[in-house]
């Protein structure tokens, strides 16, 4: 379901910047984005982004009519101050899940698909930019086939991927920091003319993760507890492991834990319950997707925990017997966003409470 193409970083002459995952629309030089005299987004020169194969797209002016594939990309654009330019989204965020500062604006964004966006609806949306969290993936539900790059180009839509998730499966090595997420934020800032705000968001993330890193600097490798990301929504018949290339591996690593499937050379991979038992994690994250309300999401956490306590293969695990569960949503762990840094802190405060305090 995730893209299998490695997102290359184009050698643009400008601010970080200009390299992001997107489809080819022509060449050009990269450039810094800056706010205009009245606070309107402007670009001092064309911003350039590159897709997973090196094809480049130029944004002569900031993206003005944006569609997002899901609530994660929407949240980033809202935080960047570009939310007024988002004209539609798929996989909308559930009630109460967006940060309070952007929740009201986010609730007003039209929903083009409760899951994926139907091809015809996306192509006819009037968008000039489509920000895609995962890239090429199998159609979900009854939305049908995804539009081709040629169809997006014909409709005047530039296709931009989030590097940290769309390109993770074929990365050259494990993800051990949030640099790719920070680049995603900076790239979105470049194409929307909100580079200063992007810098603020990245600095805040680095401050939060840096504090955890400093607190754990003397932690011996042998004291990193084993950690299993239980992707409850991927199914319980055969668990799906979060592997080393996925951004969630970086979150777990930065938090001072040891992903028990870090050696899995992919982003996600089906494994067996025997594999989970053999690796005997010290902590288990009950990773459920947002259900649209706090009550429904809590019920999903309860269901995930009950499964592990009742399932013959897992009920004897020490982590299960000791109740070593973390109730942290999938999205805040595995999809690019400023809340990845919050999740680092939350995990660290749980598994190393003597070194990292909650909320600090």
């Amino acid at each position: 379901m995730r893209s299998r193409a490695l997102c290359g970083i184009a050698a643009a002459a400008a601010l970080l910047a200009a390299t992001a995952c997107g489809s080819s629309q022509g060449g050009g030089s990269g450039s810094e984005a800056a706010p205009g005299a009245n606070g309107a987004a402007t670009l001092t020169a064309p911003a350039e982004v590159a897709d997973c194969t090196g094809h480049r797209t130029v944004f002569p002016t900031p993206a003005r009519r944006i569609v997002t594939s899901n609530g994660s990309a929407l949240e980033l654009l809202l935080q960047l101050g570009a939310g007024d330019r988002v004209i539609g989204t798929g996989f909308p965020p559930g009630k109460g899940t967006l940060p309070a500062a952007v929740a009201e604006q986010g609730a007003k964004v039209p929903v083009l698909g409760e899951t994926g966006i139907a091809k015809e609806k996306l192509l006819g949306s009037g968008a000039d930019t489509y920000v895609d969290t995962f890239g090429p993936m199998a159609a979900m539900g009854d939305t049908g086939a995804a539009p081709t790059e040629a169809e997006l180009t014909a409709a005047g839509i530039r296709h931009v991927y989030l590097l940290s998730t769309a390109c993770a499966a074929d990365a050259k090595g494990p993800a051990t920091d949030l640099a790719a997420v920070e680049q995603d934020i900076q790239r979105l800032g470049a194409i929307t003319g909100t580079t200063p705000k992007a810098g603020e968001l990245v600095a805040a993330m680095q401050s939060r993760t840096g504090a955890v890193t400093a607190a754990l600097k003397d932690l011996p490798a042998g004291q990193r507890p084993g950690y299993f990301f239980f992707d409850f929504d991927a199914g319980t018949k055969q668990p799906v492991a979060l592997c080393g290339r996925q951004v969630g591996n970086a979150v777990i690593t930065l938090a001072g834990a040891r992903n028990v499937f870090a050696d899995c050379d992919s982003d996600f991979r089906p494994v067996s319950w025997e594999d989970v038992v053999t690796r005997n994690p010290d902590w288990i994250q009950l990773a459920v997707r947002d259900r649209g309300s706090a009550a429904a999401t809590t019920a999903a956490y309860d269901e995930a925990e009950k499964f592990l306590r009742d399932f013959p293969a897992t009920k004897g695990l020490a982590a299960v017997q000791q109740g070593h569960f973390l109730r942290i949503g999938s999205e805040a762990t595995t999809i690019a966003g400023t809340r990845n840094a919050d999740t680092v802190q939350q995990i660290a405060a749980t598994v190393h409470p003597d070194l990292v305090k909650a909320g600090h």
Side-chain angles (χ1 to χ4, degrees), residues 280-284 286 305-325:
N280 192 25
D282 300 293
W283 292 88
I284 299 175
L286 304 175
E305 180 174 335
K306 185 177 187 303
F307 170 80
L308 292 173
R309 289 190 181 279
D310 293 344
F311 188 53
T314 57
K315 66 181 183 180
L317 286 172
V320 175
Q321 293 288 315
Q322 296 167 10
H324 280 185
F325 300 119

Side-chain angles (χ1 to χ4, degrees), residues 88-299:
T89 190
F91 286 99
K95 183 179 180 181
T97 60
L98 286 173
V102 297
E104 183 176 354
Q105 185 179 25
K108 296 176 182 177
V109 173
V111 175
L112 302 184
E114 291 294 337
T115 55
I117 302 172
K119 172 179 172 177
E120 294 75 15
K121 186 167 287 189
L122 175 57
L123 294 175
S125 65
D128 60 38
T129 304
Y130 177 48
V131 180
D132 192 348
T133 299
F134 295 114
M137 58 193 298
M140 291 190 174
D142 58 358
T143 58
T148 65
E149 294 301 322
E151 289 172 327
L152 288 167
T153 299
I157 301 174
R158 296 177 174 88
H159 191 184
V160 178
Y161 299 145
L162 296 187
L163 176 152
S164 60
T165 44
C167 310
D170 291 322
K172 293 181 178 178
T176 56
D177 59 38
L178 296 180
V181 176
E182 293 163 2
Q183 289 171 356
D184 281 334
I185 294 170
Q186 291 162 333
R187 290 179 172 100
L188 289 181
I191 69 170
T192 58
T194 58
T195 296
K197 184 62 177 179
E200 292 176 15
L201 295 177
V202 168
M205 289 180 64
Q206 292 176 340
S207 176
R208 200 154 179 78
T209 58
V212 173
T213 298
L216 300 178
K217 63 183 176 62
D218 296 324
L219 180 71
Q223 292 183 20
R224 287 177 168 263
Y227 193 95
F228 174 52
F229 178 92
F230 175 33
D231 192 347
F232 180 62
D233 294 299
T236 57
K237 184 175 182 180
Q238 181 178 26
V240 174
L242 184 155
C243 300
R245 295 179 187 173
Q246 220 284 325
V247 67
N249 186 73
V251 170
I252 295 166
T253 301
L254 288 170
R258 176 178 51 82
N259 176 15
V260 295
F261 286 101
D263 60 343
C264 170
D265 196 19
S266 184
D267 54 353
F268 293 93
R269 179 174 295 170
V271 292
S272 69
W273 283 115
E274 288 76 11
D275 291 331
V276 176
V277 172
T278 297
R279 299 186 186 220
N280 192 25
D282 300 293
W283 292 88
I284 299 175
Q285 180 174 336
L286 304 175
V288 306
R289 295 172 179 80
D290 172 65
R291 295 296 198 267
S293 72
T297 302
T298 296

Side-chain angles (χ1 to χ4, degrees), residues 322-358:
Q322 296 167 10
H324 280 185
F325 300 119
L326 295 87
R327 295 188 170 206
I328 303 175
S330 296
E331 294 92 340
T333 310
T334 63
I335 300 178
T338 60
R339 286 191 277 185
N340 294 148
D342 299 332
T343 303
V344 169
Q345 192 278 331
Q346 188 175 355
I347 294 173
T350 302
V351 303
H352 297 295
D354 53 332
L355 299 175
V356 180
K357 303 306 178 185

